[in-house]
Amino acid sequence: MKLHAAAILLVFWLGIFTVHTAKGSIGSQSMRKFRCVNLSTQQLNIRNLISYEKQQVPVNAIMFLTTKGIKICVSPDQRWVQAAMKKIDQKRTTKGK
């Protein structure tokens, strides 16, 4: 009887250890950074954009972040994109003063 109880206890502790180790390894992995693959062709409302990030790999793109937290990738060659980036930069410099 004692051997049976010891075996159950051993299995129980091994199960807890396995779950704890699996959670630790998954939790310690860094999240993959969002990357642009497809580019939107629609012009966005500049007032709804709060920041941007330039990207060159895997495609040359500008990733805008909207006020709702949505990331949208566009081609950096468009005039409205350049204007939006300039406006965001101006907002950043006026907030920093």
Side-chain angles (χ1 to χ4, degrees), residues 56-73:
Q56 294 180 335
V57 177
V59 294
N60 192 21
I62 301 296
M63 180 188 353
F64 283 115
L65 180 65
T66 69
T67 53
K68 293 184 178 182
I70 299 169
K71 295 176 180 179
I72 302 172
C73 300

Side-chain angles (χ1 to χ4, degrees), residues 56-92:
Q56 294 180 335
V57 177
V59 294
N60 192 21
I62 301 296
M63 180 188 353
F64 283 115
L65 180 65
T66 69
T67 53
K68 293 184 178 182
I70 299 169
K71 295 176 180 179
I72 302 172
C73 300
V74 295
S75 172
D77 301 328
Q78 300 176 61
R79 281 188 184 169
W80 74 266
V81 173
Q82 298 296 323
M85 291 168 48
K86 187 174 182 179
K87 184 157 184 130
I88 291 169
D89 289 340
Q90 288 172 345
K91 285 182 186 178
R92 286 180 184 164

Side-chain angles (χ1 to χ4, degrees), residues 2-49:
K2 287 183 182 181
L3 184 60
H4 186 262
I8 290 174
L9 189 59
L10 179 65
V11 169
F12 173 76
W13 282 111
L14 284 174
I16 288 176
F17 178 77
T18 304
V19 169
H20 179 70
T21 304
K23 281 186 177 180
S25 64
I26 291 170
S28 63
Q29 294 177 2
S30 62
M31 291 182 57
R32 299 180 84 198
K33 192 171 182 178
F34 181 83
R35 289 286 173 200
C36 299
V37 178
N38 298 320
L39 302 179
S40 174
T41 56
Q42 293 182 339
Q43 182 171 339
L44 306 174
N45 186 340
I46 293 175
R47 288 178 285 172
N48 294 334
L49 305 176

